[in-house]
Amino acid sequence: MAVSVIALFIGASRKDKDSLTALDCHISHQAGARNIWLLGNSLLHDFHWPLNDATVVNCAKRGHTVHEFLSRWNMTQLPTESPEYVVIAFGTVEVIRAEQDSRYIREFMTYYPQLLTDLQSRWPTAKIIVNLLPDINTQLFGRPDLDLQNIEILNQFIAQNSQCPNCNIIDVGEILLRDEESFSEQITYDGVHFTEYAYKKWLAALADAMDHF
């Protein structure tokens, strides 16, 4: 890769920095030459764990659906040079919002393929790591009537629509539940967002996926 995305943030012109304002990107870890972009909602927004020998550009946004993220994405002048990896995790916000309005599940099925297509077109050499949705603990989350079938529906949709040659799918729920009895307080502090312990498990899975792509 000839040009590092770090140049957009460090030593870049004011114009270059302003071009990424819509995405609110920031470097969450900086070490080494590998470039990794994180795109998603709060699960990735709160991801501050280092990936070895890599600079991590975090463009995830709390509380955003894939449609809302895509709107920001389309307003942003992004670099033409491909990062080595793009990590994406969407869908949890849609599942929660669908408790009040089922259209959010339909919206996801419309806009998720658009985002994936745009990624492959914009950055054709980037390796895309797609993360399936983890479970939600309705007891901890305080919404026992939440329809968790939507997680299974979206995971099936994501898996079916992420079969590109440069895509690798990670089952986050399966990773987090290894050696665990349930999606408990050991994994999540509020039923949705992860503990330090859980992020370390996810980090190990991401690192392994990158090493064996």
Side-chain angles (χ1 to χ4, degrees):
M1 199 161 33
V3 180
S4 169
V5 295
I6 306 171
L8 291 168
F9 298 84
I10 301 174
S13 68
R14 175 74 187 198
K15 180 180 179 181
D16 289 334
K17 292 177 181 177
D18 289 346
S19 70
L20 283 165
T21 299
L23 277 179
D24 298 326
C25 299
H26 65 280
I27 292 178
S28 61
H29 180 71
Q30 183 176 337
R34 288 197 305 171
N35 295 306
I36 301 168
W37 281 53
L38 307 182
L39 312 179
N41 49 44
S42 60
L43 297 186
L44 280 180
H45 180 274
D46 297 338
F47 188 99
H48 300 303
W49 310 102
L51 286 155
N52 291 336
D53 189 31
T55 292
V56 181
V57 180
N58 195 330
C59 298
K61 185 73 171 178
R62 284 178 171 272
H64 272 205
T65 64
V66 69
H67 182 199
E68 291 163 343
F69 187 91
L70 190 60
S71 297
R72 292 165 55 222
W73 179 262
N74 289 334
M75 291 190 301
T76 305
Q77 182 181 342
L78 294 161
T80 56
E81 299 82 10
S82 294
E84 188 171 356
Y85 299 97
V86 179
V87 179
I88 61 176
F90 290 99
T92 301
V93 175
E94 282 87 346
V95 168
I96 295 171
R97 290 194 188 180
E99 181 183 12
Q100 303 296 328
D101 192 338
S102 62
R103 71 180 172 87
Y104 285 103
I105 302 300
R106 296 191 298 272
E107 275 192 1
F108 182 93
M109 293 179 174
T110 298
Y111 292 105
Y112 174 81
Q114 290 184 22
L115 177 63
L116 203 60
T117 297
D118 185 76
L119 279 175
Q120 294 174 85
S121 174
R122 188 187 303 270
W123 292 330
T125 64
K127 302 176 180 70
I128 302 173
I129 299 180
V130 177
N131 293 270
L132 300 182
L133 280 64
D135 293 338
I136 292 176
N137 186 317
T138 53
Q139 183 176 359
L140 287 174
F141 190 43
R143 297 186 182 181
D145 297 327
L146 192 66
D147 186 358
L148 298 184
Q149 284 188 328
N150 285 327
I151 293 176
E152 182 177 352
I153 290 170
L154 291 192
N155 278 342
Q156 290 178 354
F157 182 84
I158 292 169
Q160 291 170 358
N161 286 271
S162 303
Q163 298 299 320
C164 52
N166 59 334
C167 291
N168 193 343
I169 301 172
I170 292 180
D171 188 337
V172 178
E174 189 273 331
I175 294 295
L176 297 182
L177 287 175
R178 286 179 186 173
D179 303 318
E180 312 292 335
E181 292 184 0
S182 64
F183 196 68
S184 65
E185 294 180 24
Q186 177 86 341
I187 300 296
T188 174
Y189 59 85
D190 62 357
V192 178
H193 299 96
F194 298 155
T195 61
E196 177 178 349
Y197 171 76
Y199 270 120
K200 287 181 177 178
K201 294 184 79 168
W202 190 7
L203 172 66
L206 286 174
D208 184 65
M210 292 177 190
D211 289 341
H212 298 91
F213 215 103

